[in-house]
Amino acid sequence: MEDNLFRYAWRHSRRQQLWLICAVLVSLPFYYFSLDLPKAIINGPIQGTGFTAPGATHTAMQIGLQLPDWLGGASFQFFPGVQLDRVGTLVYLCMLFLALVLINGAFKLQISTYKGLLGERLLRRLRYQLVDMVLRFPLAQFRRLRSSEVATIVKDEVEPLGGFFGDAFVQPLLLVSQAATAMAFILLQSVTLGLVAAAIVAVQLLIIPRLRRKLLVLGRQRQLTARLLAGRIAEIVEGIAEVRTNDTSNWERAEIASRLGRIFFIRMDIYQWKFLVKFINNLLAQVTPFIFYLVGGYLAIVGQVDIGQLVAVIAAYKDLPTPLKELIDWDQARLDAQLRYTQVLDQFSSASLLDPELQALAPADSAPTVHELSAHEVSIRDDAGMTVLEPVSLSLTAGTATLATGAAGCGAEYLAEACARLVEPASGRVLVDGAPIQSLPDSFLARSIGYAGAQPYFGRGTLRHALLYGLYHAPDSPPDGRDATRQRNRHEARLSGNTEHDVEDDWINYTATGTSGPDDLTDRLRRVITAVELEGDIYRIGLGGRFPEAFPPEIEARLVAARDDFRAQLGADGTQRFVEPFEAERYTANATVLENLVFGLRAPDAQAVPMERDPYLDEQLEKIGLRVRLIDMGRQIATTLIELFGDLQPGNPLLERMDIISPDELPQYQALLPRFGKPGEAVPPDVAAALLKLAYAYIEPRHHLGLLDKTLEQEILAARQKFREGLPPSLTEVVFFHEPGRLNPAASIQDNILFGRIAVNVAEAPERVSAILRQTLDELGLTTAVVERGLAFEIGSGGKGLSLAQRQKISLARATLKRPDVLILNRALDALETVSQSAIIGRVMDAATRRDGQKPAVLCVVSSFEPEDRFDRVLAFSEGRLIETRERGQPARPGAEPTKEERAQARAGAA
Amino acid sequence: MSVLKTEVELLRRVSFFAGMDTTRLKLLAFTSDVITYDASQIMFRQGDVGDSAYVILEGEAEARVRLSNGNDVPVARIRTGDLVGEIAVLCDIPRTATVSAVSAVKALRIQREPFFELMHQFPEIAISIARVMAERVAQTTSDLVHVKEKLAAETAR
């Protein structure tokens, strides 16, 4: 990228900038006329020059051409004009003036809009280029990169550049020409007055920017000292023990005082300069009219200028300071923008970027199949230069499975990373069918290598998106099936130098999965998630979701039937007590207090007040005297939870286990309790709401704090009655009560079929109920719908909504879905215990086939695996070395000190 | 008295947790679940993958081990306040015995994840557990020595 901001802007917006400049130049004559016209108005119709004789008229709207003398001086007249009297001329000239005002305004509007457009395009281009560079950074670079910094640069730091791009060329041109026009105008009226004005302008242009620059320096100093002060204060707070035990508090006082003093003097300097600049500016602006009145007045009296000229000069001078001031502002913006631009470039251009060719878009079925991936004497060093893997060779060929075992950090994981090109070997080479892995395009490697690591990362999106992410290779765009909006988006993207590939297109590489289209893919997806034992998780997530909006009525009927079926099965098993049913007259212990109060749910709606804050509910509780009791209950919950969790550091995973209070809310409750902690005490509405919220979320069997007794349950049931009886119209539409014969659209699928809650503290209840529920849904053919619902689950940024084991399974499913030639599993399921890990990996290996029908080459790194003879070869690693190699059916061979011959042999075998 | 307090009192009696601070015990109790079992219901089976330990709050349970000859042998009686199943939580091995309720049992189920998070957070918990485990190893070793001596004496005879 260009190292100079102006060069960058010029290169990518030359045509638009030229167009802008033309527009500005065209606008100038109109601007000049609008300056000139007042003189004509004052001198002509107002003062009566040329209208001395009664009945005198003036020719207006005459259109003609007068050739200069050196061209023969001929004159052509196209329109002879209209004769107007004095008032007529006044009206005509004023109308002309109004027209000029409108024209100038229109020019300004157009130019500003166009500038905005130009700036935004360039900003879009710059941001896109920055992200493009990030995508092309070598992987090693990312260890030194802080994600938040990159994000801030792309998002915030370049933002002001957008505004500047539009102004970069045209603003100085416009301002200078405006100022020059005004100056020229003044000079034409009177050379003397013009010289005076020019002198003052020169002073302004020379002095003000210098003074301002000094202000900038001071501002930066102030920022720096303030930051240091903040650091020192933090030091005092953190090291207070040292301060007290060493009696250095007085020294600290003096130290802080001296820093505050420094800031004080800097600020004083700033004030002095700031107001000095203001003073000089104002003085220059106001002294000028004084000179104009004095000198201009004198000249008018002497008759060297007429009054009209003088008024016009003063009017023109009024227009001078504004462009000048803006010009000075522009200069400052230029300095700032150039600095910003260079800083951003420094951050990004230090890296040696990958060749864009390596990431070029490739058609779905472009990659040839890989026969062998081999590592030759590969050693790896970490960032600190420590060797984490001693030289080792390895060959992965189609149909063979290799197991690498060892504790975390044994070195095998680095080998796996090197095979997937995630680290660069310090020595040795990794070859793919003889070609160095570094030279291969991403598209080729991504299609032929499936990699699943221990810490997979997921962006925001649905579960389905996360599973299919490995297939978003190239868009399948219908040739002209785009609507107007998409056409427009595409056109605009081209103008900003962005990619023209449309994210809305279908990017999925069906060929890689061996399917023909979306329907086919869903089947395959189902099989893969079943193989990695994710299907149960997704199904459970689906059960917790609600029915999709448009739910076919016949399924609704079947679901209500499912409820009875489920009950029958549950009863038949003699396990009635596993589910606590929803009954209008009974308290459901396994549901929250709020659910018990409402005996139903409010349809979720992001805009609406949540149920727990609804004034109607509050009012009902108040009426029967339950509100105070529930507030007390909330108080007890808050007290207990703060006692248990209050001294944990923010970010501690244990905090998530509070369940009722979310970790971010904890400080709020900690602040609130000392003031409103006394039982029975009246509290302000917001505190009441905060405490009620806790009480509402309470479930006795789950939280076992012993806060609910039979009397309170009875009172809640009474409130339930009241709540339902007086329900206002605003709520009848959105609150759905549990009713035996009807589905509840606001409740989860599971709640709808169970029509009750699992008794969590009865042994085996969750497992048994799930089994029966699954059976019921299977029989009704609804399981697929539930899994689909689960696949639509939003996993949250980084997949926070899922456990590590679930994330690892998704990553594994993703790696196998594309039928890779080489499957690398790098501690891919280490969140599971050995038995489950081995079972899933075994199943995945059984199911995996390549595009050419062969079995893939497999490299699996684990701590331990059972049974190991599932693999053709087992490599044992320890402390960065290969210590033992076992081929299937052959005795173990130590690998720590291979003899020369062996090494040569290995090399020959690998090559 | 709140339910949590009762649970804490019982936890305190477990040698594993004896040295722990009341607040930590409360935290442990809060992050655990109370589960009820019918008489003769199985709490966990030998050979299963285990992810939780149990403190008996009420009732009695029995541990049985299936020998290689297929016979079930009762090995221990587990009473109120006893801890059972902790080995599967501490290390990744299958259950070593089958435990079933003798009477109706109420137990506090401590799951591996919160338990490990607690140990991670409060090393004093880990230390007190390490101490108990070390004592057990010492006991087992001395038992083993005892048995070996006895065996040696018998073969010598």
Side-chain angles (χ1 to χ4, degrees):
Chain A
M1 264 165 82
E2 292 75 6
D3 52 358
N4 182 299
L5 178 69
F6 285 91
R7 221 167 290 148
Y8 179 82
W10 186 247
R11 180 163 155 210
H12 295 296
S13 63
R14 197 172 17 211
R15 274 175 54 196
Q16 287 104 309
Q17 300 280 11
L18 284 173
W19 169 242
L20 252 186
I21 289 170
C22 287
V24 168
L25 290 178
V26 170
S27 74
L28 281 178
F30 293 95
Y31 176 64
Y32 181 85
F33 284 131
S34 72
L35 288 180
D36 192 49
L37 209 52
K39 184 183 78 176
I41 295 173
I42 292 168
N43 282 351
I46 293 177
Q47 289 199 319
T49 321
F51 290 101
T52 36
T57 58
H58 187 80
T59 316
M61 287 180 264
Q62 189 181 26
I63 301 173
L65 187 65
Q66 170 83 53
L67 286 183
D69 290 342
W70 49 273
L71 272 175
S75 83
F76 306 93
Q77 195 160 35
F78 305 122
F79 182 67
V82 185
Q83 297 301 311
L84 290 174
D85 63 5
R86 190 166 166 181
V87 173
T89 310
L90 178 70
V91 172
Y92 162 67
L93 288 176
C94 286
M95 284 299 157
L96 206 57
F97 183 76
L98 184 64
L100 281 173
V101 167
L102 290 177
I103 290 172
N104 283 334
F107 266 114
K108 210 163 206 169
L109 176 70
Q110 281 304 317
I111 290 171
S112 311
T113 318
Y114 200 75
K115 272 202 292 202
L117 175 87
L118 189 156
E120 283 308 314
R121 269 196 196 138
L122 271 174
L123 182 63
R124 181 177 173 180
R125 177 188 293 270
L126 182 63
R127 280 183 170 154
Y128 178 79
Q129 281 180 330
L130 293 177
V131 175
D132 175 63
M133 281 159 110
V134 172
L135 286 170
R136 282 164 45 210
F137 278 167
L139 285 168
Q141 179 90 3
F142 284 96
R143 290 199 201 101
R144 292 187 290 273
L145 219 60
R146 253 184 281 164
S147 57
S148 59
E149 268 176 26
V150 177
T152 322
I153 289 176
V154 175
K155 181 176 152 277
D156 299 326
E157 294 199 6
V158 300
E159 176 89 47
L161 290 181
F164 183 74
F165 280 137
D167 288 338
F169 297 99
V170 108
Q171 187 76 353
L173 183 79
L174 178 76
L175 297 172
V176 166
S177 55
Q178 270 182 9
T181 313
M183 260 327 287
F185 178 79
I186 296 173
L187 273 168
L188 280 182
Q189 307 308 317
S190 154
V191 178
T192 329
L193 287 180
L195 288 176
V196 170
I200 293 169
V201 165
V203 171
Q204 234 173 328
L205 278 183
L206 281 176
I207 292 182
I208 305 292
R210 274 179 204 199
L211 297 179
R212 282 244 188 131
R213 230 161 269 179
K214 168 95 182 166
L215 263 179
L216 271 185
V217 174
L218 284 173
R220 234 169 274 147
Q221 270 180 18
R222 183 184 63 92
Q223 217 175 358
L224 231 69
T225 40
R227 206 179 295 157
L228 286 175
L229 175 75
R232 276 296 296 149
I233 291 173
E235 273 175 29
I236 293 181
V237 173
E238 277 162 31
I240 190 68
E242 304 301 317
V243 174
R244 296 290 284 275
T245 50
N246 291 314
D247 182 28
T248 50
S249 68
N250 289 311
W251 183 84
E252 294 289 355
R253 280 192 191 96
E255 214 271 345
I256 293 293
S258 94
R259 281 179 195 279
L260 289 171
R262 223 166 298 154
I263 295 179
F264 171 82
F265 285 114
I266 293 174
R267 294 198 79 124
M268 277 312 292
D269 261 10
I270 290 179
Y271 280 125
Q272 278 171 0
W273 276 105
K274 198 155 115 188
F275 292 118
L276 182 68
V277 172
K278 251 196 178 141
F279 169 75
I280 294 175
N281 233 347
N282 287 342
L283 187 75
L284 289 174
Q286 278 162 14
V287 159
T288 324
F290 153 79
I291 297 174
F292 281 176
Y293 287 130
L294 188 66
V295 181
Y298 172 75
L299 292 176
I301 292 169
V302 205
Q304 273 191 19
V305 290
D306 56 44
I307 303 292
Q309 276 175 323
L310 183 60
V311 172
V313 164
I314 292 175
Y317 183 75
K318 268 209 192 106
D319 282 345
L320 251 186
T322 322
L324 287 180
K325 193 179 152 291
E326 283 178 17
L327 202 61
I328 294 166
D329 287 345
W330 175 85
D331 185 54
Q332 216 160 65
R334 179 186 66 85
L335 278 175
D336 182 58
Q338 181 64 49
L339 208 72
R340 237 173 234 279
Y341 181 79
T342 331
Q343 268 171 359
V344 169
L345 273 202
D346 282 352
Q347 285 274 350
F348 278 74
S349 59
S350 55
S352 56
L353 296 179
L354 297 183
D355 182 358
E357 276 304 304
L358 286 182
Q359 290 186 339
L361 197 78
D365 49 358
S366 57
T369 48
V370 170
H371 179 69
E372 186 197 28
L373 191 150
S374 53
H376 301 264
E377 298 292 311
V378 164
S379 75
I380 291 164
R381 282 196 207 112
D382 64 7
D383 287 338
M386 294 288 290
T387 303
V388 289
L389 179 68
E390 301 280 352
V392 61
S393 295
L394 170 78
S395 162
L396 303 171
T397 51
T400 62
T402 307
L403 180 72
T405 59
C410 67
E413 50 274 83
Y414 301 106
L415 181 63
E417 284 182 5
C419 288
R421 204 174 64 179
L422 291 172
V423 288
E424 206 161 323
S427 71
R429 294 181 306 162
V430 178
L431 300 179
V432 178
D433 279 342
I437 198 167
Q438 254 65 29
S439 70
L440 296 169
D442 282 9
S443 60
F444 177 68
L445 283 190
R447 281 162 181 72
S448 49
I449 299 180
Y451 177 86
Q455 293 291 339
Y457 188 82
F458 299 99
R460 220 176 271 279
T462 62
L463 232 163
R464 173 190 287 276
H465 175 80
L467 280 164
L468 297 181
Y469 187 74
L471 300 171
Y472 291 117
H473 290 155
D476 180 22
S477 40
D480 42 26
R482 298 160 181 279
D483 52 42
T485 332
R486 286 173 71 179
Q487 291 281 15
R488 184 174 154 233
N489 289 345
R490 189 174 178 178
H491 176 72
E492 194 49 55
R494 187 180 319 137
L495 288 178
S496 309
N498 284 201
T499 179
E500 287 174 45
H501 301 306
D502 196 335
V503 73
E504 303 286 330
D505 283 335
D506 190 353
W507 282 72
I508 291 175
N509 186 344
Y510 295 105
T511 323
T513 62
T515 58
S516 54
D519 299 333
D520 224 5
L521 183 66
T522 304
D523 281 350
R524 172 130 165 82
L525 193 60
R526 259 313 262 290
R527 280 203 300 279
V528 171
I529 58 179
T530 310
V532 299
E533 286 181 10
L534 193 60
E535 203 249 11
D537 295 78
I538 297 178
Y539 161 83
R540 265 192 298 284
I541 291 169
L543 280 180
R546 288 179 305 123
F547 294 111
E549 289 285 332
F551 212 60
E554 71 269 14
I555 295 196
E556 189 165 333
R558 272 158 71 197
L559 279 167
V560 176
R563 209 178 260 181
D564 298 334
D565 270 23
F566 173 77
R567 264 302 137 74
Q569 297 226 25
L570 198 64
D573 243 18
T575 47
Q576 190 80 46
R577 65 194 185 100
F578 286 167
V579 173
E580 199 190 0
F582 292 138
E583 281 171 34
E585 307 294 324
R586 231 175 50 97
Y587 190 90
T588 316
N590 284 288
T592 65
V593 168
L594 182 67
E595 283 168 324
N596 270 294
L597 275 169
V598 177
F599 194 59
L601 289 124
R602 184 191 183 124
D605 175 0
Q607 268 89 52
V609 195
M611 195 68 238
E612 71 248 32
R613 284 183 171 267
D614 200 281
Y616 169 72
L617 179 63
D618 233 29
E619 192 185 303
Q620 294 304 309
L621 292 180
E622 184 70 65
K623 243 185 231 165
I624 60 167
L626 195 53
R627 190 165 175 270
V628 184
R629 293 201 52 185
L630 288 180
I631 290 177
D632 270 354
M633 187 171 157
R635 207 176 258 139
Q636 286 182 43
I637 295 172
T639 316
T640 311
L641 291 185
I642 287 170
E643 182 197 344
L644 298 185
F645 294 92
D647 58 347
L648 298 181
Q649 291 291 318
N652 191 315
L654 272 175
L655 286 175
E656 297 288 342
R657 305 218 169 246
M658 280 190 294
D659 198 39
I660 302 184
I661 300 182
S662 82
D664 341 326
E665 287 172 340
L666 190 63
Q668 178 201 338
Y669 285 101
Q670 276 171 319
L672 167 157
L673 266 198
R675 287 184 295 150
F676 305 106
K678 258 182 263 148
E681 191 187 0
V683 292
D686 57 324
V687 178
L691 292 175
L692 279 173
K693 193 176 145 189
L694 304 186
Y696 285 153
Y698 184 73
I699 303 174
E700 180 65 50
R702 177 143 99 207
H703 303 119
H704 48 102
L705 297 178
L707 296 177
L708 264 179
D709 52 18
K710 284 282 167 255
T711 12
L712 193 55
E713 285 183 5
Q714 283 312 314
E715 279 179 54
I716 291 172
L717 286 180
R720 179 191 287 186
Q721 202 73 31
K722 284 268 180 311
F723 180 87
R724 189 158 188 178
E725 277 163 12
L727 200 68
S730 62
L731 287 179
T732 42
E733 292 279 304
V734 288
V735 173
F736 294 93
F737 295 106
H738 295 309
E739 294 196 30
R742 274 226 318 264
L743 283 191
N744 187 338
S748 70
I749 298 180
Q750 173 162 325
D751 276 0
N752 263 305
I753 296 176
L754 259 55
F755 199 64
R757 284 289 158 82
I758 297 178
V760 287
N761 54 356
V762 173
E764 290 180 27
E767 298 82 3
R768 296 279 275 276
V769 171
S770 302
I772 298 172
L773 184 59
R774 179 84 195 224
Q775 200 184 330
T776 312
L777 287 168
D778 277 346
E779 278 165 18
L780 287 164
L782 288 171
T783 315
T784 310
V786 175
V787 172
E788 282 297 315
R789 191 71 195 75
L791 284 172
F793 172 71
E794 290 284 339
I795 59 170
S797 173
K800 273 198 208 107
L802 302 171
S803 70
L804 178 60
Q806 287 169 333
R807 292 202 295 268
Q808 290 185 339
K809 287 176 184 175
I810 293 179
S811 165
L812 178 59
R814 182 149 93 183
T816 52
L817 199 57
K818 59 183 178 185
R819 299 190 299 167
D821 304 329
V822 182
L823 184 60
I824 300 175
L825 309 177
N826 194 0
R827 303 196 187 279
L829 290 175
D830 71 355
L832 302 177
E833 357 71 48
T834 309
V835 181
S836 321
Q837 247 186 74
S838 308
I840 295 177
I841 290 175
R843 209 169 312 127
V844 165
M845 283 168 58
D846 285 339
T849 45
R850 301 164 28 139
R851 284 164 291 168
D852 56 6
Q854 278 186 285
K855 299 298 278 178
V858 177
L859 171 62
C860 175
V861 180
V862 287
S863 296
S864 63
F865 194 94
E866 290 160 13
E868 290 191 348
D869 60 8
R870 187 149 196 342
F871 290 85
D872 301 302
R873 195 186 323 150
V874 180
L875 311 173
F877 283 83
S878 177
E879 292 172 11
R881 312 167 76 112
L882 174 64
I883 51 168
E884 192 184 300
T885 306
R886 289 192 299 274
E887 302 283 343
R888 185 158 36 197
Q890 280 178 21
R893 173 165 58 89
E897 301 297 338
T899 58
K900 239 182 199 168
E901 293 87 318
E902 270 177 334
R903 221 176 257 184
Q905 233 173 8
R907 221 168 293 154
Chain B
M1 193 155 83
S2 91
V3 180
L4 209 54
K5 267 196 193 135
T6 329
E7 291 164 6
V8 169
E9 287 310 316
L10 272 168
L11 281 178
R12 192 182 296 290
R13 286 204 245 146
V14 179
S15 59
F16 245 59
F17 308 125
M20 259 162 75
D21 195 51
T22 311
T23 322
R24 306 286 175 254
L25 282 180
K26 264 194 184 173
L27 194 56
L28 184 65
F30 182 78
T31 52
S32 308
D33 313 305
V34 179
I35 307 284
T36 56
Y37 295 87
D38 286 343
S40 83
Q41 203 173 357
I42 289 173
M43 295 172 70
F44 53 78
R45 282 192 174 77
Q46 185 176 349
D48 279 1
V49 176
D51 66 345
S52 24
Y54 300 82
V55 174
I56 310 291
L57 299 174
E58 280 171 37
E60 246 181 62
E62 185 185 50
R64 302 175 78 89
V65 173
R66 170 157 296 194
L67 301 178
S68 43
N69 60 14
N71 289 349
D72 264 1
V73 191
V75 287
R77 206 64 171 173
I78 301 142
R79 301 193 166 76
T80 306
D82 284 351
L83 177 76
V84 62
E86 74 282 5
I87 295 177
V89 170
L90 289 171
C91 44
D92 179 17
I93 57 167
R95 298 285 193 195
T96 51
T98 299
V99 171
S100 50
V102 174
S103 60
V105 164
K106 200 167 161 193
L108 193 66
R109 180 174 66 192
I110 303 168
Q111 287 185 306
R112 179 189 286 152
E113 243 180 276
F115 189 61
F116 269 72
E117 276 165 18
L118 263 170
M119 285 210 287
H120 211 75
Q121 213 49 53
F122 308 109
E124 72 263 25
I125 297 179
I127 291 169
S128 97
I129 286 169
R131 185 170 299 135
V132 172
M133 293 308 261
E135 276 165 14
R136 282 194 195 170
V137 172
Q139 184 62 47
T140 313
T141 317
S142 89
D143 283 356
L144 191 65
V145 169
H146 193 69
V147 169
K148 275 195 169 168
E149 276 172 356
K150 218 170 162 186
L151 207 66
E154 262 169 35
T155 40
R157 214 181 292 160

